[in-house]
Every structure is written in C-alpha cells, then in structure tokens.
Amino acid sequence: MNIRTDLAMEAREILQKKDPESVSGVSESHETLAKGELTVTRVRIETEEGARKMGKAVGTYVTLEFPAVPERSMELEDEIANQLAKELKALLPEMTAETTALVVGLGNWNMTPDALGPRVVDQMLVTRHMLMAMPDAIDERIRSVSAIAPGVLGLTGLETFEVISSLVERIAPDVLVVIDSLAARKASRIGTTIQISDTGIQPGSGVGNRRREISQKTLGIPVIALGVPMVVYASTIAQDAIEMALSGGKRSLNSLEEKLLENVQQQVLSGTFPQMVVTPKEVDELIEEASKSLSEGLNMAFHDGLSLEEVRSYGV
Amino acid sequence: MNIRTDLAMEAREILQKKDPESVSGVSESHETLAKGELTVTRVRIETEEGARKMGKAVGTYVTLEFPAVPERSMELEDEIANQLAKELKALLPEMTAETTALVVGLGNWNMTPDALGPRVVDQMLVTRHMLMAMPDAIDERIRSVSAIAPGVLGLTGLETFEVISSLVERIAPDVLVVIDSLAARKASRIGTTIQISDTGIQPGSGVGNRRREISQKTLGIPVIALGVPMVVYASTIAQDAIEMALSGGKRSLNSLEEKLLENVQQQVLSGTFPQMVVTPKEVDELIEEASKSLSEGLNMAFHDGLSLEEVRSYGV
Amino acid sequence: MNIRTDLAMEAREILQKKDPESVSGVSESHETLAKGELTVTRVRIETEEGARKMGKAVGTYVTLEFPAVPERSMELEDEIANQLAKELKALLPEMTAETTALVVGLGNWNMTPDALGPRVVDQMLVTRHMLMAMPDAIDERIRSVSAIAPGVLGLTGLETFEVISSLVERIAPDVLVVIDSLAARKASRIGTTIQISDTGIQPGSGVGNRRREISQKTLGIPVIALGVPMVVYASTIAQDAIEMALSGGKRSLNSLEEKLLENVQQQVLSGTFPQMVVTPKEVDELIEEASKSLSEGLNMAFHDGLSLEEVRSYGV
Amino acid sequence: MNIRTDLAMEAREILQKKDPESVSGVSESHETLAKGELTVTRVRIETEEGARKMGKAVGTYVTLEFPAVPERSMELEDEIANQLAKELKALLPEMTAETTALVVGLGNWNMTPDALGPRVVDQMLVTRHMLMAMPDAIDERIRSVSAIAPGVLGLTGLETFEVISSLVERIAPDVLVVIDSLAARKASRIGTTIQISDTGIQPGSGVGNRRREISQKTLGIPVIALGVPMVVYASTIAQDAIEMALSGGKRSLNSLEEKLLENVQQQVLSGTFPQMVVTPKEVDELIEEASKSLSEGLNMAFHDGLSLEEVRSYGV
C-alpha cells in the first residue's frame, strides 16, 4: 500500500503500526520543549532498505510540531522561530564570512496552498548583492544570501530543476535551501508541522509534484529541504475515519469485522477519492503564518547571531 | 441526523435515499441541456413540513450542474452563463426601466474559498450612479444596478444583516441578490454547481456561517440567493467513503455488518472531523471561474437584452 | 487661483506667502519632537472668512511630518504611531466603556494610491461584535470599534455618503473616523505627512474626489478625518519648478521677469497638466507603511491604555 | 544635457528640435493605421555616432502609439494586438516547428509601475514543457515558448543578467524576448505607447534600472526588447511646463527671456526633482491593459497562425 505523505515522521508511524519489524534501518528520537507545546522529532533513515520501505531518501528528517494558530501564543511563535533556526544551523554547513546560500521557493504563487515557497522568498533577508557591491559597509554578522522563486512547469514551461541547476552552476552557492508546501497523511498536521531535512526534494513530493530530484546527488552541493504540510488527499481523510472507528473500539475486532473494514478501505482507495487534494478553508492565513515562521528561522540561521527582534526589524 | 449541505438538491437526494416517504411536500424536476453536459434541477419545497425535513426554507431552488474546469469547453461556459441568466430572469421580478437591483457579495475577500461574493461584486456592471446622473445618455437596455461587499463580522465588527438592511432601507431597491460561497455534501460538487433560489440566505448557511436570515421576510423585498459550493466538511468525505463501501457491495449487508458500519459513522461524526472544512487545492482558480460565470449571468439577467458578448466587452 | 491641496498646513503656507494679511482667522502653532525628526503643526481655522480663503472648513487640522521611509528609523516609527494616538485622543470624544466608534476607509482597493482607507480598515482591531456577544469576556480596556470600506461610486453604484449615513443611522456610533488618501501640493509630502482633523471630509477632496460632505453637520455625530497625501497634480510639480527657480535667484526679479514667469504659470495651469494626478513609483510600499502607522495610532487611541506592543501583538 | 527617456522616438524628437543636423545616422518613418488612431513609427539608428548622440544602441525601434484607455475602443484594442504581432514577427527570427523562444519579464511584481514584465509572463501561452512531453499531441501551429520573471536585485540578491544568462546557456533558446516597464519623457506617453526593438536592454534603462546589458552581444542570441512607458521623472514634467510656455507664445522670445528660462531649467534639473519618478494614479489599470496587449501580441507572434480569438480563448 502506498503511503501518501511527505513527512518522514508520519511514514514511520504508519509502518511501525503495521509491523514494528519493518522500520529497522530507521531511528527516531523525541524532545519536548516550550512547556510541552513544541515537540521535536528526529527521524534518521540509515539504510537503503529503510529508505525503500519509508519511500524516502536516506538522511535526517527533523519535525517541529506545535498547536494550530488559534491556540498558539506569541511566546510560542518566538520559540518556534528560534528552535527552527537552531535545527537549521545543525543541518546547514557552517556559515562563515565566505559562505553563500541560495534559497529556492518552489511552488505556484497563484495557487494559495502551493504558495509557501514564493512567500518565504519574499520575506528573506537577501544580501548577496550588497556584500558584492560594498562588503565593508555591511554588518559583519551578515552572510551572503540570495533567493528566487522559479515558478512551476505549467506557468513557465521550464522544469524547476533546469532553472535551479543552471543557477547553481552560475552562482556556485555553498548550500541550497528549498522551500515547499507538503502533503501530509493527517489533516491535523496542516499548518502545525515543519519538516527540515538534509535530503533535498524527491520527485513526486510536495503539493506541486516536482518531477526531478533536487539534492546533493543531482546538484553537487548540500541541499536542505524545508516544508510545511498544506494539503492532504481526500482519500486519507476517509482512511482516518475508518481507522479511528477501528481503534476507537474498546475490544479487538473479530475477523469478520476486520475483513469488512479492509474491504471498505480497498474500495475507497480504488475510487475517485485518491485524486482529490484538499486544504482547510483557512489556507490563506495558514500560508501567511507558516511563511513568517520559516523566513524568521532561516534569517536567523543564516546570519550569524542576528536575534529574532533584529530579523523582524528588517521588515522584509 | 444533521445534513450538512447548502444545496437543496443534495438534501433531497439524501432524504430520498433514507426514506422516500420523507420528501412529501418537496417536488423535483430535471432538464438536460448542452448535449448532456448541463443539467438543470428544480427543487420546490412546498410545505412547512417539507421545509423542516429538508432543513431549508419553503421556495424554489434551481441547480445548474456541469463538468469541472478541465473538461469544460468554451462553448459550455457560454451555455452556463446564458442558462444562468435565463433561470435568474425567471426568479427576478421583471426588470423595467424603473427597477433597481442591489447585489450583495457576502464573504471574506481575505479567505479564498469564501471570496466568491466579493469577486462577483467586482465584476458587476454597476449603473445606478450613471442612471441617476445622466439617465438619457445611457443605453436604454441598461437597468439600475448597485453592488456592495460588506465583509464579514470578524473583520468589520458589523453583522452583515445590519449593513444590508440599513442599505436596503436607504436606497430602496426592488430586488436584492445575495452571492455566497456554499458548503456541499459531496466534494465533487465543488465548483461544478450553481444554486439559485428565491428564499434568500438562512442562518448558519454558507462558508462564513451568516447569523441572521436575509430574506423577503426580514427585508420586505424579494431576495434571490446565488451560490456555488466551495467547501465540504471533512466529515462528509469520511461518510462518503463509508457509504460508497456500503453501496458498492453487490449483495445486501447482513445485520452485523450494518451495525458495525453505523458504529463507524457514529464515531466519525462525534470526533474531531466535523469541525474541519476543506476545499480543493485549486480553490483560487475555482473561485475565478465561478465568479466569472455568476457575474456574466447576472449582468445579462439584469440588463434587458445585453448579449454575452456585450457583457464581456464591458470588461468589468 | 485655485490651491489644490487637501492639507490645511499647505494651504496656509501658500496664502501666507502671497499675502500675510490673508490668513487672519487662521492660527498655527508648531512643535518639534523625536530629536527634530517629527514635527507637529496645528492649524486652526477660526472664522468663516478664514475657511473661505483657505478653501477648508472651520476646525482644527493637526499635521505630523516626518522623513521618508528610507531615512525613518524603527524608533521614529514607534514615535509616529504614539504621537498619532495622542493627537487622535485629543480630537476624539472620550472613549468610555459605552462609547462606540465606527471607522470608514474611503477609497478604491483596486487603485493603489487610493487604497489607504481599505488597507487601514483591514488592520483595525474591531471589537463591536465581541463586546455585544460576550461583554464580560473581553479585556476591560477594549472599546467598541467597527470598521468598513464601502468602496467607490464607480465600483458599487452607491454614493459613499449613502452607505455611511445609513450605517450611522442603524448602528448609532458615538464617533466616526474616516480615512482617505489625500492630494498634496508638494510631492515631497507624499507618504511623509499625516493630517488629522475634526472637520470630516469635504466634497472634492481626496484622491477619489468624494461628492458629498461627510461631517458632523451632515451626520449628526463627531467626524474625525485622517489622511496621508498619496498624490499630487502634475501641474503643481511644474509650478514648484518655476517657483523654485524664482526663489532660488539671489536677487529680486525685475518686473519683466516676473511678468514672464506669471505667463508661464498661467499657461501651465490652463493646459493639459492640471488633469493628471501622479504618485511616486514606490506607491505600493508607501501605502503599506502609511496604513501601518494609521492603524497602530487608531488602535491605541480607541482602546484605553493598550500599548503599541500590545496593539502589534494582536496581529490584525 | 541628459535625455531621460527609454523611447528612441522621443530621443530623436528632442535631438531634432535642438539641432536637426545632430540626427544624422538616425532615420525615421511613420505609418498611420486604424483610421488615424494607431501610429507606427520606425526609428533606425544606423551608425555608432547616431547611437552615441541618441544614447541608445544601434538597431531598429518600432513604436506603436494609440489613445489612452478611456478613448480606446474594443476594435482598436484588437488592432493594437494584431499590429504588435505583425511588428514582432518582422523582428523575431522565423518561428519554425523547431524554434524555441524564451520570454523574460523584468521588473518587480510588488511595485505596480514596474510589474509589467511579470504580468505579461503570467499571461504567456507557455508550451515548451508540453512539446517536450508529447510533441505529437499538440496543435502543429504551436511553437516552443517558455517564460520566467526573475525578480529584481533587491528582492533576490541576484543580478537579472546572471539569472537570464545561466538559463539561456542551459535551455538554449533561439530568441529571447525581454519585457520591461519604461520611463518616458512625456507623461502623455504613459500607457499609450509600445516600443519594440531588436537591441535588447541597455544598462540604466527601464523603471528598475537594470545594471547589465541584455542583448545579442552579451548573450549570443537575438534579443527583442518590448516595453511600455509607465513612469516619468518629475523633472521632465517641470521641463515640459516651461517648454510649453516657451513654444506656446505666438512671437519669438527675446534674448533676455530665453536666458531667464534657461536659468529656470538649469535650477530645476540640479534640484531635488530629478530623483523623483512618478506614475499616474491609475497605474494599476494601466498595467493591466498594457500586459493584456503585450501578451496577446506575443502569443500571436510566436504561434504560427493563431488568431486573436484563439489566443484569448486559451484564457491564460
């Protein structure tokens, strides 16, 4: 059965439930912060077999989880940005005065649930041009950052990979960060989860279904992927409902019941549902919140020692 | 059981399935146009008992159904606009040289799935000010139309009904047309259905959950409601899945199976699902298409004898 | 000669220059704050004769002047918002627990230089609906505020005055605040000046050229007008150039020169220039900055004792 | 004296007025179409000396002039698009089934007067990806077109030339078309003029002041530049006023008058005016109209034999 999620944490959860043996080659650890409101999960896919089973590349996947907007305090928002900066720094190469980073916002600015990447790019503190023009006039904590949103295939006629790889070749950054809207398995993860990984972007992942791998393997430089789930498949909502009913029962199901429910699941998956991708009706606000957190975290991670307050004051 | 749909056609369908007797007081007729691509369904709720069972006001509900955008030809789009104009004319009072119409776009322009009303208002051919200033200079087919999008309670602090009723009192239009994004029962109806009714807007309907009835009863003038489904409840997606499994079986279910499935449904409905309202990820495009059809239909219906081509040429 | 400016301060300046006698009935005082970066000018038109000469209504006009964005520090932005709140409080009726304020954003959201009003409305902390629904659950410093952007005549077919007066009648606020983009005489005032007055809005003022007076006289409640210049007439740019040349000369002009320059001015004013209204190419950013300052000032002025930090944290 | 205009036609006009001898090496021809409402001017800069005097590169500059929007009929809009397509075809290399074109929209989508390029890109009929994926399924009149809006230096940290040249190297198009908002000398040319040239983009031209030459010389492929004036310098408005006064007089000026006016001009140009760049308050609508004309013309010019109606029906 195909697991439709861009979150390694969810993929592991599902495998674990079906067969704890199956997740050999995949390790996981948890940390709880901010009085229990912020959970950090680190999944490491260590072997090719683990990668195959998970449907994800070998590497590290860090997930931040936190409550949805109405329950999120201002303090928690600060903690999310700060923790994100910390996790990014752990995965990024060291940012010295000579390091250059390129940020690429994947996605379609005309399609709200897929607009996360372009929106983050709009809020990046870009500095490469200033450091090239007048290196001595710039605060010494500032690193060289550039950012671009190349658009999607249907709008440009250009494969995203073509645009990125030609740019990487030309400006030779030390690290690439790609931002993308993700698809989750559970609707409750939309807008409440940030995933950071050192594996780049695999074909078919994300809301826009990129076609080519964007990774160290294909580009020759470290590629950090950063994303927030913004959509789920309608079919997974249906599966959730059935699983909830299953696990909600106090007693074990008898074999007849199990067989019946399996049939239900089968029929759902083979029907029209799997095609439809949905997002909460509040998606405009979710994108705004998520792009703020991501850009704040990135701006702090890149520029050595800039505080959250300083980052905000640049007002980008 | 609560039927969560703003479409009378769907409400009737559900009642009919559960108990054909239950829809006494409700009549329905169908018409197929445009080589089978455009279906017009007319539901009439004739009695108070019918209204109670349907959870909708007594009156006429006309529904246009057509394929989703990728399968919709240019010719079909013209047919939709023309048929919509025709159905609107049948429900509107006769538009004479003296008639004035007020169009109110309900909804929140900052929340894409709820922005249908404001977007239609932006595309209305408004003429009241011109007819007042220089009545003789205006093409005699033009009727007096004004249009406003009053916003939502959380953004203005004003109940929509307050704004509308004070305006209706002041400018005394002969008819009010209210545009709203609707919630459907089936996800497949999103962006593929237009509902026109002479009943106005009932509390709790629509994406934004209006709180006060906007109707001839509360305003004293005819109120035509016009809407397109843009959201469904996540819970109904789950229910659909289960029902599909049920009805998909070749044989009747035995009593054990039926009881089990009822339990599933029960648990789904009492869980966290019912709160979540979802929309397809293509919602931006769906809103654009729907607002175009609605404004074209309205502009033709209001102004006596303007063709679709003329309406488009005004480029509003 | 017609003075095309919505700023009382500019009108007085021009009159004063031409004939110091002419500004009898008009008083002016200045205050300098924020290390000289923030100037507050108070013009009082005290007599009908003063009003006639100034082309403005009898009343108080307070102007805040400050540097353009690139030279404006974060601290100065805070000072502007705080001083604006202070000046507003001096003109507003006392905001008690029972006071209700209505904010109306004039202007056209589809025309950037005229979008100031709607943009401020979007950022208002509206509370009327919450105070009506659950008065005891709300922070006691919060006052009842509602806000609406009624659009412009050409988009709605409704005269702004009609919409406002019908709403004022219905919801009976204690004070009305109207926000508008203004036309200045000098291009350098665009985005660097805020005018607050207790005279409301006069016909023909503002970017959108409102047609009806919106004031205590026409509405029966205090009307505070708040605006920022966003446009100038192309003709005033030309006049400025000529005046600059005139006053820039070290010596007095001889009579021939004066006559020649008068001819130039005459011809400019009678030509095609007076029709064209221009705005700086950075107008999108100017509108964003101005709407932020105005909404921050208003939110502090209305709600008793809310700090700038608290106002910002509401994140409206 | 520096002539601040991106229009070759205006530059020639100014030179011609000052000294008819000075425009040797520059030829010009006119054509009037559409019952006098559409003028086509062809300026050819033939020599390096002509180029130096004109402040423009050697090459062909075609200008379409037409009335401003309120006076422009639907028929005229069709004529503009059709004539633009014709002029583009004359400058483009022949578009065969193998030809690939890349369209680059220069400019900043967050700054309305500079957003022409990105807006045109949004409306391009891009086809490269489809022709690569399924060449046989596509209408044979369709040519391979891709389009991108790389943003501006201050938003991306990347010099536009870097992005374009790396892309050109990678995808190897046969021709590049660059779209840009232009600065004109006369305010009346804003939104009423289209310039097409085979010279590409020179440093310092356009609203955003590009820094590197984008041309056949720097990229190795033909570069067609396409633009519409959207701004003027405030200083040129002042100069116009003075010149109008000068030329408006029935008699010749005496030497004293001429000297005086020269002084005025001198002072204006050395003052604060030259810095300010202005645009009409209706700039949002002007950008929308211009991007529609440009994309229609381009879509017809690229795809062999597509009619205006077909181009519009694609609804991009």
Side-chain angles (χ1 to χ4, degrees):
Chain A
M1 194 188 79
N2 185 23
I3 307 160
R4 269 302 309 176
T5 175
D6 293 325
L7 296 176
M9 185 193 64
E10 279 191 334
R12 191 182 176 280
E13 210 170 277
I14 295 162
L15 288 180
Q16 175 84 22
K17 212 160 150 194
K18 288 167 63 181
D19 174 12
E21 295 298 296
S22 71
V23 287
S24 73
V26 182
S27 72
E28 191 183 48
S29 69
H30 293 274
E31 195 179 341
T32 303
L33 302 164
K35 297 175 194 154
E37 292 201 301
L38 178 57
T39 307
V40 182
T41 303
R42 288 179 186 82
V43 171
R44 281 191 187 81
I45 303 182
E46 284 147 0
T47 63
E48 281 305 328
E49 202 205 323
R52 199 181 42 75
K53 277 188 201 135
M54 292 276 286
K56 308 250 162 291
V58 167
T60 298
Y61 300 81
V62 180
T63 311
L64 275 60
E65 288 175 278
F66 36 83
V69 169
E71 283 87 41
R72 209 183 299 166
S73 68
M74 297 253 301
E75 289 73 32
L76 182 56
E77 276 173 21
D78 294 0
E79 294 240 32
I80 293 168
N82 282 315
Q83 188 66 27
L84 174 56
K86 203 173 142 187
E87 300 294 343
L88 280 166
K89 275 181 194 168
L91 290 183
L92 284 170
E94 200 194 347
M95 297 292 291
T96 71
E98 279 74 40
T99 317
T100 354
L102 173 62
V103 177
V104 172
L106 303 181
N108 181 346
W109 41 79
N110 295 328
M111 188 194 265
T112 310
D114 194 25
L116 181 68
R119 292 288 289 273
V120 171
V121 161
D122 262 354
Q123 296 168 72
M124 290 308 301
L125 179 54
V126 297
T127 52
R128 178 173 173 270
H129 59 308
M130 297 189 293
L131 284 165
M132 287 179 82
M134 35 175 197
D136 300 334
I138 310 294
D139 183 327
E140 58 177 14
R141 298 171 301 169
I142 297 297
R143 299 293 171 254
S144 170
V145 175
S146 49
I148 197 165
V152 293
L153 193 58
L155 291 182
T156 63
L158 300 168
E159 171 72 41
T160 302
F161 181 81
E162 292 179 300
V163 182
I164 297 178
S165 66
S166 65
L167 260 179
V168 164
E169 204 167 288
R170 174 65 51 110
I171 72 168
D174 298 294
V175 61
L176 180 72
V177 177
V178 273
I179 322 286
D180 206 3
S181 296
L182 305 179
R185 175 67 189 72
K186 283 194 189 307
S188 60
R189 294 245 161 76
I190 294 177
T192 64
T193 311
I194 298 171
Q195 177 172 279
I196 317 152
S197 92
D198 57 7
T199 59
I201 301 272
Q202 309 306 313
S205 72
V207 171
N209 284 319
R210 324 298 159 203
R211 300 191 184 170
R212 299 267 294 267
E213 183 173 329
I214 302 167
S215 71
Q216 178 144 25
K217 201 170 83 189
T218 58
L219 291 171
I221 55 167
V223 179
I224 306 299
L226 186 57
V228 175
M230 284 296 159
V231 302
V232 292
Y233 284 70
S235 61
T236 69
I237 293 182
Q239 279 177 269
D240 275 2
I242 294 162
E243 276 168 32
M244 186 191 288
L246 226 152
S247 68
K250 298 278 185 327
R251 57 165 183 82
S252 313
L253 300 178
N254 61 39
S255 61
L256 178 68
E257 290 168 340
E258 289 215 349
K259 193 155 165 271
L260 176 64
L261 284 164
E262 220 164 82
N263 283 343
V264 173
Q265 236 171 12
Q266 218 58 257
Q267 292 197 40
V268 168
L269 289 174
S270 61
T272 57
F273 280 115
Q275 320 304 351
M276 194 177 192
V277 180
V278 298
T279 187
K281 76 174 202 287
E282 298 82 3
V283 61
D284 301 83
E285 196 189 342
L286 294 173
I287 284 283
E288 196 174 320
E289 290 290 333
S291 64
K292 190 167 164 283
S293 298
L294 260 50
S295 59
E296 287 173 355
L298 278 167
N299 284 334
M300 281 189 283
F302 285 137
H303 303 296
D304 185 38
L306 282 199
S307 68
L308 182 53
E309 201 176 26
E310 286 175 300
V311 156
R312 281 180 184 156
S313 80
Y314 279 103
V316 276
Chain B
M1 196 188 79
N2 183 23
I3 307 162
R4 270 300 312 174
T5 175
D6 292 327
L7 296 176
M9 185 194 62
E10 279 191 334
R12 191 181 176 280
E13 208 170 276
I14 295 161
L15 288 180
Q16 175 86 20
K17 211 157 145 198
K18 288 166 65 180
D19 175 12
E21 296 295 298
S22 71
V23 287
S24 71
V26 181
S27 72
E28 192 182 47
S29 68
H30 294 274
E31 194 179 343
T32 304
L33 305 162
K35 296 172 195 157
E37 292 201 303
L38 178 58
T39 309
V40 182
T41 304
R42 291 180 184 82
V43 172
R44 282 192 186 82
I45 303 183
E46 284 146 0
T47 63
E48 281 304 329
E49 202 205 325
R52 199 181 43 73
K53 278 190 201 132
M54 292 275 287
K56 309 251 163 289
V58 167
T60 298
Y61 300 82
V62 180
T63 310
L64 274 60
E65 288 175 278
F66 37 83
V69 170
E71 283 87 42
R72 210 184 296 166
S73 67
M74 297 252 301
E75 288 72 33
L76 183 56
E77 277 173 21
D78 294 359
E79 294 240 31
I80 294 169
N82 283 315
Q83 187 65 26
L84 174 57
K86 202 173 142 187
E87 301 293 342
L88 281 165
K89 275 182 194 168
L91 290 183
L92 284 169
E94 200 195 347
M95 297 293 292
T96 71
E98 280 73 41
T99 317
T100 354
L102 172 62
V103 176
V104 172
L106 302 181
N108 181 346
W109 42 79
N110 296 327
M111 188 194 264
T112 311
D114 194 25
L116 181 68
R119 292 287 289 274
V120 171
V121 162
D122 263 354
Q123 295 168 73
M124 291 308 301
L125 180 53
V126 298
T127 52
R128 179 174 173 268
H129 58 307
M130 297 188 293
L131 285 165
M132 289 179 80
M134 33 176 198
D136 300 333
I138 310 294
D139 182 329
E140 59 177 14
R141 297 171 301 168
I142 298 297
R143 299 292 171 254
S144 170
V145 174
S146 51
I148 196 165
V152 293
L153 193 58
L155 291 182
T156 62
L158 300 168
E159 171 73 40
T160 301
F161 181 81
E162 292 179 300
V163 182
I164 297 178
S165 66
S166 65
L167 261 179
V168 164
E169 206 168 286
R170 175 65 51 110
I171 72 169
D174 297 294
V175 61
L176 180 71
V177 177
V178 274
I179 321 286
D180 207 2
S181 295
L182 305 179
R185 173 69 188 71
K186 283 196 189 307
S188 59
R189 294 245 162 76
I190 293 177
T192 63
T193 313
I194 299 172
Q195 177 173 277
I196 318 152
S197 92
D198 57 7
T199 59
I201 300 273
Q202 310 306 313
S205 73
V207 171
N209 283 320
R210 326 296 160 202
R211 300 192 183 169
R212 300 265 294 267
E213 183 173 331
I214 301 167
S215 71
Q216 178 145 25
K217 199 171 85 188
T218 58
L219 291 171
I221 54 167
V223 179
I224 306 299
L226 186 57
V228 175
M230 284 297 159
V231 302
V232 292
Y233 285 72
S235 61
T236 68
I237 292 182
Q239 279 177 267
D240 274 3
I242 294 162
E243 276 168 32
M244 186 191 291
L246 226 151
S247 68
K250 299 278 185 327
R251 58 168 181 80
S252 313
L253 299 178
N254 61 38
S255 62
L256 178 67
E257 290 168 340
E258 288 216 350
K259 193 154 165 271
L260 177 63
L261 284 164
E262 218 165 82
N263 282 344
V264 173
Q265 235 173 12
Q266 217 57 259
Q267 292 197 39
V268 168
L269 289 174
S270 61
T272 56
F273 279 116
Q275 320 304 352
M276 193 174 193
V277 179
V278 298
T279 188
K281 75 175 203 288
E282 297 82 3
V283 62
D284 302 82
E285 197 190 340
L286 294 173
I287 284 284
E288 197 173 318
E289 290 290 333
S291 63
K292 189 166 163 284
S293 299
L294 261 51
S295 59
E296 287 173 355
L298 279 167
N299 284 334
M300 281 189 283
F302 285 138
H303 303 296
D304 186 37
L306 282 200
S307 69
L308 182 52
E309 200 175 28
E310 285 175 301
V311 156
R312 281 182 185 155
S313 81
Y314 280 103
V316 278
Chain C
M1 196 189 77
N2 183 23
I3 307 161
R4 268 301 310 176
T5 175
D6 292 326
L7 296 177
M9 185 193 63
E10 279 192 334
R12 190 181 177 280
E13 211 170 274
I14 294 162
L15 288 179
Q16 175 85 22
K17 210 156 145 198
K18 288 166 64 181
D19 175 12
E21 295 297 296
S22 71
V23 286
S24 71
V26 182
S27 73
E28 190 182 51
S29 69
H30 293 275
E31 195 179 343
T32 303
L33 302 163
K35 296 172 195 156
E37 290 202 304
L38 178 57
T39 308
V40 182
T41 304
R42 289 179 185 82
V43 172
R44 281 191 187 81
I45 303 182
E46 284 147 1
T47 63
E48 280 303 329
E49 201 205 326
R52 197 181 44 73
K53 277 187 203 137
M54 292 276 286
K56 307 251 162 290
V58 168
T60 298
Y61 300 81
V62 181
T63 311
L64 275 60
E65 287 174 280
F66 37 83
V69 169
E71 283 86 42
R72 210 183 297 165
S73 68
M74 297 253 302
E75 289 72 34
L76 182 55
E77 277 173 20
D78 294 0
E79 293 241 32
I80 294 168
N82 282 314
Q83 188 65 27
L84 174 57
K86 203 173 143 186
E87 301 294 342
L88 280 165
K89 275 182 194 168
L91 290 183
L92 283 170
E94 200 194 347
M95 296 292 292
T96 71
E98 279 73 41
T99 317
T100 353
L102 173 62
V103 177
V104 171
L106 303 181
N108 181 346
W109 42 79
N110 295 328
M111 189 194 263
T112 310
D114 194 26
L116 181 69
R119 292 287 290 274
V120 171
V121 162
D122 262 355
Q123 296 169 72
M124 290 309 300
L125 180 52
V126 298
T127 53
R128 179 173 173 270
H129 58 308
M130 298 188 292
L131 285 165
M132 287 179 81
M134 35 175 197
D136 300 333
I138 310 295
D139 183 328
E140 59 177 14
R141 297 171 300 169
I142 298 297
R143 299 291 172 256
S144 170
V145 175
S146 50
I148 197 165
V152 293
L153 193 58
L155 291 183
T156 62
L158 300 168
E159 171 73 41
T160 302
F161 181 81
E162 292 179 301
V163 182
I164 297 179
S165 66
S166 66
L167 261 179
V168 163
E169 205 169 286
R170 174 65 52 108
I171 72 168
D174 297 293
V175 61
L176 180 72
V177 177
V178 272
I179 321 286
D180 206 2
S181 295
L182 305 179
R185 173 68 189 71
K186 282 194 190 308
S188 59
R189 294 244 161 77
I190 294 178
T192 64
T193 312
I194 298 171
Q195 176 173 281
I196 317 152
S197 92
D198 58 6
T199 59
I201 301 272
Q202 308 307 312
S205 72
V207 171
N209 284 320
R210 325 297 160 203
R211 300 192 183 169
R212 298 267 294 268
E213 183 173 329
I214 301 166
S215 71
Q216 179 144 25
K217 200 170 83 190
T218 58
L219 291 171
I221 55 166
V223 178
I224 306 299
L226 186 58
V228 175
M230 285 295 157
V231 302
V232 292
Y233 284 71
S235 61
T236 68
I237 293 183
Q239 279 177 270
D240 275 2
I242 293 162
E243 276 168 33
M244 186 192 289
L246 226 152
S247 68
K250 300 277 184 328
R251 57 170 181 78
S252 312
L253 299 178
N254 60 38
S255 61
L256 177 68
E257 290 169 339
E258 288 216 350
K259 191 154 166 275
L260 177 64
L261 284 164
E262 218 163 82
N263 283 343
V264 173
Q265 236 172 13
Q266 218 56 259
Q267 293 197 39
V268 169
L269 289 174
S270 61
T272 57
F273 279 116
Q275 321 303 351
M276 193 177 193
V277 179
V278 297
T279 188
K281 75 174 202 289
E282 298 81 3
V283 61
D284 302 82
E285 196 190 340
L286 294 173
I287 284 283
E288 196 174 321
E289 291 290 332
S291 64
K292 190 168 164 283
S293 299
L294 260 51
S295 59
E296 286 173 355
L298 278 167
N299 284 334
M300 282 190 282
F302 285 138
H303 304 296
D304 185 39
L306 281 201
S307 69
L308 182 53
E309 200 176 27
E310 285 175 301
V311 156
R312 281 178 186 159
S313 81
Y314 280 102
V316 276
Chain D
M1 196 187 78
N2 183 24
I3 308 161
R4 270 301 311 175
T5 175
D6 293 326
L7 296 176
M9 185 194 63
E10 278 191 335
R12 189 180 177 281
E13 208 171 277
I14 295 162
L15 288 180
Q16 175 85 21
K17 211 160 150 193
K18 288 166 65 180
D19 174 12
E21 296 295 298
S22 70
V23 286
S24 72
V26 181
S27 71
E28 191 181 48
S29 69
H30 294 274
E31 195 179 342
T32 304
L33 303 164
K35 296 171 194 157
E37 292 201 303
L38 178 58
T39 309
V40 182
T41 304
R42 289 180 184 81
V43 171
R44 283 192 185 80
I45 304 183
E46 283 146 0
T47 63
E48 281 304 327
E49 202 206 324
R52 198 182 43 74
K53 277 186 202 137
M54 293 275 287
K56 308 253 163 288
V58 168
T60 299
Y61 300 81
V62 180
T63 311
L64 274 60
E65 289 175 278
F66 36 83
V69 170
E71 283 88 40
R72 209 184 297 166
S73 68
M74 296 252 302
E75 287 73 33
L76 183 55
E77 277 173 21
D78 294 0
E79 294 241 31
I80 294 168
N82 282 315
Q83 187 66 26
L84 175 57
K86 202 174 145 186
E87 301 293 343
L88 281 165
K89 275 182 195 169
L91 291 183
L92 285 170
E94 201 196 345
M95 297 291 292
T96 71
E98 279 72 42
T99 317
T100 355
L102 173 61
V103 176
V104 172
L106 303 181
N108 181 347
W109 40 80
N110 296 327
M111 187 193 264
T112 310
D114 194 25
L116 180 69
R119 293 287 289 275
V120 171
V121 162
D122 263 355
Q123 296 169 72
M124 290 309 300
L125 179 54
V126 298
T127 52
R128 179 174 173 269
H129 59 308
M130 298 189 292
L131 285 165
M132 289 178 80
M134 32 175 198
D136 300 333
I138 310 295
D139 182 329
E140 58 177 14
R141 298 171 299 169
I142 298 296
R143 299 292 171 253
S144 170
V145 175
S146 51
I148 196 165
V152 293
L153 194 58
L155 291 182
T156 62
L158 300 167
E159 171 72 42
T160 302
F161 181 81
E162 293 180 300
V163 182
I164 297 178
S165 66
S166 65
L167 261 179
V168 164
E169 205 168 288
R170 175 65 52 109
I171 72 168
D174 296 295
V175 61
L176 181 71
V177 177
V178 274
I179 321 286
D180 205 2
S181 295
L182 305 179
R185 173 70 189 71
K186 284 196 189 307
S188 59
R189 294 244 162 76
I190 294 178
T192 63
T193 312
I194 298 172
Q195 177 173 278
I196 317 152
S197 92
D198 57 6
T199 60
I201 300 271
Q202 309 306 312
S205 72
V207 172
N209 283 319
R210 326 297 160 202
R211 299 193 184 168
R212 299 266 293 268
E213 183 173 330
I214 301 167
S215 71
Q216 179 144 24
K217 199 170 85 189
T218 59
L219 292 171
I221 54 167
V223 178
I224 306 299
L226 186 57
V228 175
M230 285 296 159
V231 303
V232 292
Y233 285 71
S235 61
T236 69
I237 293 182
Q239 279 176 270
D240 274 2
I242 293 162
E243 276 168 33
M244 187 192 289
L246 226 151
S247 68
K250 299 279 185 326
R251 57 169 181 80
S252 312
L253 298 178
N254 61 38
S255 62
L256 178 67
E257 289 168 341
E258 287 215 351
K259 194 155 165 273
L260 176 64
L261 283 164
E262 219 165 82
N263 282 344
V264 173
Q265 235 173 14
Q266 219 56 260
Q267 291 196 41
V268 168
L269 288 173
S270 61
T272 57
F273 279 116
Q275 320 303 351
M276 192 175 195
V277 180
V278 298
T279 188
K281 75 174 203 290
E282 297 81 3
V283 61
D284 302 83
E285 196 190 340
L286 293 174
I287 284 283
E288 197 174 320
E289 290 289 334
S291 64
K292 189 167 164 284
S293 300
L294 260 51
S295 59
E296 288 174 355
L298 279 167
N299 284 333
M300 281 189 282
F302 285 138
H303 304 297
D304 186 38
L306 282 200
S307 69
L308 182 53
E309 201 176 27
E310 285 174 301
V311 156
R312 281 180 185 155
S313 81
Y314 280 102
V316 275

